Amino acid sequence: MDQNIPQITQSISEELKRKIIRVIEEMQLEAMPSFMLPEQFTALLLTKLWNEKRQPHQIWSIDIPIFETDRAWFEEIEAEVRRCSEYCPQFHFWQGLRLIDSPQILLSIWGLVVAAVQEYPEVSAYDLRHLSSMMDFMLDQVYRKGDKNLFFTPNIIVRLMIDIVRPKSGTFWDPACGSGAFLAQAYAFAKGNESLELYGNDVKAHMINLAEIRLLFSGTDFRKIHLECRDAFIQDEYSESAYWNDTRKYDFILSNPPVSSVNTAQAEKRGYLVPTKKLHLQFLQLIMEHLNPNGKAAVLVNENVLFRGGDERNIREVLVEHLGLRTVISLPKGVFAPYTNAKSSILFFGGRATESTPVFFYEFETAEFLKDTHEIQIPDISDAVEKEASRQELYEKWSASMGRGVYNDFEIYTPENWPYKNCWFAERQLLREHDYNLVADHYRPRKTEEKAEYLNIGELLDEIHQLENESCRILEELAELRDKYER
């Protein structure tokens, strides 16, 4: 692919969205893992594009007989896909790739390929960026409707974290990269800046495949991306990638680490601060350990990390006192549905914060779930990015407002008339006094109390009586209809 072409942002039509959802539903009915769809789609698409590149005046197509038992058609298509893989052997997802052995499903995927090429005729074997939004949507649907063992980060959350951290140049690492959403959006944000080096790993081979496919459609220069199917905690002297050296530090680390009470791969205590068997705390400490002194990190954490004692409390103390924790963004429940409705937050840290630097809190109260496309939408993403960027100016307003304040529900003194309902601050001394509690709501200014509406008991009883009479009347009418029908 030509890496000197500017980044392309292409929307996806509603019709194409519906086609993707239908194919996933067909695969589910056949008990096929939906994460196979991106691989199958990419293999057939590249095969079509490569063949048409070799024979520019011919439209390459495949003939899939729905009711024919002869396997010749399947072997012929597989042979074409294998020939295509020889043109780009550097891609990991070709290894062990097998086409779906179902004429109906394969025909549906092929129909999706044809529809995509028709809608975006600019697509070529060297440039798939016009289909990047389509692939992002496909991967998101695999997450929303697919295998419950897959856990992706919604694109809107990834974009929020990338827009706040703003990676431009240096080294970028995701130690649990999954489908590569953070890597792809970091590359897009940097607009292909050659000085941004991307690193990622995951323990599951099919997740590395999905990450590679997402990056391929994003137009990423694969000379600047280093993916490896390997446990981030294992230091292997024979690894081809230098970033497995335990002394390697990164300028940017963004991740949504897996959550588990015990690391089932290696049930041992790990962590440079507090050795623990809790996998999410192991990853959080791994990120803290490998961040450059002046680097930036953004990590998704479960809400219990923000208030529990013991290991969680000790980690919070280091984040506040030594790793420059500067922002906590509280996400609404449901953003990771259907896998969990648990509340999560994002921790932003890195560098050295002074005593006078407060922690900025921002809270999203609601999220919208679109039933037709199974997408999550969170309002005011841009507002969060803008307020986080201007937190110094906001803190000056906060300090000036403290002359007249009130105590909130947790007996914390806050401004009486703070005009921003979704963001506020907590000084580091205050965090110490509250055992480094990082729950956003704990420090929220007291909301303006609305005048309570008192119900008149007599009026309430009259209303109940009227409802009872109405219910009796309806029951009597139904009884009359029943008697009339029985006669």
Side-chain angles (χ1 to χ4, degrees):
M1 265 179 268
D2 185 355
Q3 299 305 320
N4 296 318
I5 302 175
Q7 292 294 311
I8 295 174
T9 301
Q10 194 75 270
S11 61
I12 173 175
S13 69
E14 294 300 317
E15 178 60 27
L16 211 47
K17 287 181 178 181
R18 287 191 287 269
K19 286 180 181 291
I20 291 171
I21 292 172
R22 282 198 296 269
V23 174
I24 291 176
E25 290 173 346
E26 289 177 24
M27 295 179 71
Q28 289 177 324
L29 289 174
E30 296 291 331
M32 293 181 180
S34 57
F35 67 77
M36 295 177 67
L37 174 58
E39 297 177 5
Q40 302 286 311
F41 172 84
T42 304
L44 291 177
L45 174 66
L46 288 177
T47 302
K48 175 179 174 62
L49 295 175
W50 274 110
N51 275 282
E52 292 176 359
K53 177 182 177 297
R54 289 163 48 207
Q55 299 175 320
H57 302 294
Q58 295 186 23
I59 302 298
W60 190 78
S61 184
I62 57 178
D63 183 21
I64 302 177
I66 295 299
F67 303 106
E68 191 172 326
T69 57
D70 184 11
R71 304 295 297 164
W73 65 271
F74 185 80
E75 294 171 0
E76 181 180 347
I77 296 172
E78 274 207 323
E80 288 288 346
V81 171
R82 282 196 296 273
R83 275 194 290 272
C84 175
S85 69
E86 296 173 1
Y87 288 96
C88 41
Q90 73 272 27
F91 296 133
H92 184 274
F93 75 90
W94 289 116
Q95 301 175 16
L97 176 70
R98 294 290 182 271
L99 289 181
I100 290 177
D101 192 6
S102 166
Q104 292 85 356
I105 299 299
L106 203 60
L107 184 61
S108 295
I109 298 174
W110 174 248
L112 196 57
V113 169
V114 173
V117 173
Q118 288 176 347
E119 188 162 328
Y120 303 104
E122 308 91 342
V123 170
S124 72
Y126 291 107
D127 190 356
L128 302 178
R129 290 172 297 163
H130 290 278
L131 295 179
S132 61
S133 295
M134 178 183 178
M135 182 52 64
D136 285 343
F137 180 81
M138 186 185 296
L139 289 167
D140 190 63
Q141 292 307 301
V142 169
Y143 160 62
R144 294 289 169 194
K145 296 173 67 66
D147 190 341
K148 296 297 185 289
N149 292 318
L150 301 178
F151 192 87
F152 295 173
T153 308
N155 287 329
I156 195 167
I157 302 300
V158 177
R159 190 172 73 250
L160 169 66
M161 296 167 68
I162 291 289
D163 287 349
I164 289 178
V165 172
R166 301 179 63 82
K168 285 287 188 179
S169 62
T171 52
F172 182 103
W173 185 40
D174 183 352
C177 69
S179 66
F182 286 107
L183 300 171
Q185 291 208 31
Y187 185 85
F189 184 89
K191 294 180 173 58
N193 190 332
E194 291 186 0
S195 59
L196 183 66
E197 199 88 9
L198 302 172
Y199 298 87
N201 66 282
D202 200 280
V203 294
K204 297 179 180 178
H206 64 262
M207 296 306 292
I208 291 293
N209 291 348
L210 294 181
E212 190 176 67
I213 288 171
R214 186 195 291 272
L215 291 163
L216 176 64
F217 279 79
S218 300
T220 308
D221 184 352
F222 274 81
R223 294 170 299 178
K224 310 299 292 184
I225 179 71
H226 311 274
L227 295 174
E228 192 161 354
C229 183
R230 190 182 299 276
D231 188 338
F233 296 91
I234 296 176
Q235 309 299 331
D236 187 352
E237 61 179 320
Y238 299 106
S239 173
E240 296 178 356
S241 300
Y243 72 100
W244 294 108
N245 189 304
D246 59 1
T247 61
R248 183 68 184 265
K249 303 287 185 179
Y250 301 90
D251 300 309
F252 305 98
I253 305 179
L254 276 72
S255 190
N256 181 9
V259 176
S260 175
S261 58
V262 175
N263 180 7
T264 55
Q266 294 188 11
E268 62 184 48
K269 289 185 176 182
R270 296 190 287 202
Y272 82 107
L273 289 173
V274 285
T276 176
K277 288 187 176 182
K278 296 176 182 177
L279 187 57
H280 58 288
L281 294 184
Q282 292 180 3
F283 267 97
L284 180 55
Q285 292 179 82
L286 181 74
I287 292 167
M288 294 162 65
E289 183 181 15
H290 286 266
L291 185 66
N292 264 333
N294 295 317
K296 294 180 180 180
V299 186
L300 277 151
V301 297
N302 272 9
E303 200 77 354
N304 55 32
V305 175
L306 307 182
F307 63 84
R308 277 185 179 173
D311 294 345
E312 287 86 347
R313 185 263 178 209
N314 294 333
I315 291 174
R316 293 197 305 272
E317 179 180 359
V318 174
L319 285 169
V320 171
E321 303 291 359
H322 304 292
L323 287 179
L325 179 75
R326 71 175 192 274
T327 298
V328 178
I329 292 184
S330 178
L331 300 174
K333 289 183 178 180
V335 294
F336 294 107
Y339 298 95
T340 178
N341 285 317
K343 191 166 170 53
S344 301
S345 291
I346 311 170
L347 302 179
F348 295 85
F349 56 92
R352 294 291 182 265
T354 63
E355 182 66 22
S356 61
T357 305
V359 173
F360 174 71
F361 290 92
Y362 190 101
E363 183 170 66
F364 290 103
E365 294 185 350
T366 59
E368 181 182 3
F369 182 73
L370 304 181
K371 292 183 179 180
D372 292 340
T373 59
H374 305 274
E375 294 175 280
I376 286 289
Q377 288 190 347
I378 300 177
D380 301 327
I381 284 287
S382 58
D383 179 71
V385 176
E386 291 170 5
K387 282 191 169 61
E388 205 282 336
S390 60
R391 62 188 184 278
Q392 183 59 43
E393 293 83 354
L394 286 172
Y395 181 61
E396 291 174 3
K397 294 180 181 179
W398 171 273
S399 300
S401 302
M402 288 294 281
R404 183 175 180 180
V406 292
Y407 289 93
N408 71 4
D409 296 337
F410 298 95
E411 297 302 317
I412 294 174
Y413 191 75
T414 61
E416 182 178 12
N417 296 309
W418 180 242
Y420 305 101
K421 67 176 183 178
N422 52 8
C423 66
W424 47 89
F425 294 88
E427 288 75 14
R428 293 181 189 271
Q429 180 57 36
L430 182 62
L431 295 174
R432 296 185 191 104
E433 295 170 0
H434 288 259
D435 213 22
Y436 299 98
N437 188 319
L438 296 179
V439 176
D441 195 60
H442 191 78
Y443 305 96
R444 177 199 291 271
R446 188 171 185 175
K447 297 179 181 179
T448 303
E449 294 184 1
E450 298 179 356
K451 185 177 180 180
E453 295 184 6
Y454 296 96
L455 295 175
N456 184 294
I457 298 299
E459 292 178 355
L460 183 60
L461 290 173
D462 289 341
E463 186 175 347
I464 293 173
H465 185 63
Q466 290 175 7
L467 291 172
E468 288 178 342
N469 290 338
E470 182 67 15
S471 299
C472 291
R473 183 186 65 78
I474 294 172
L475 289 172
E476 289 174 358
E477 291 178 357
L478 289 173
E480 291 177 2
L481 289 171
R482 181 198 60 195
D483 295 341
K484 182 178 180 181
Y485 176 76
E486 289 179 348
R487 287 197 299 269

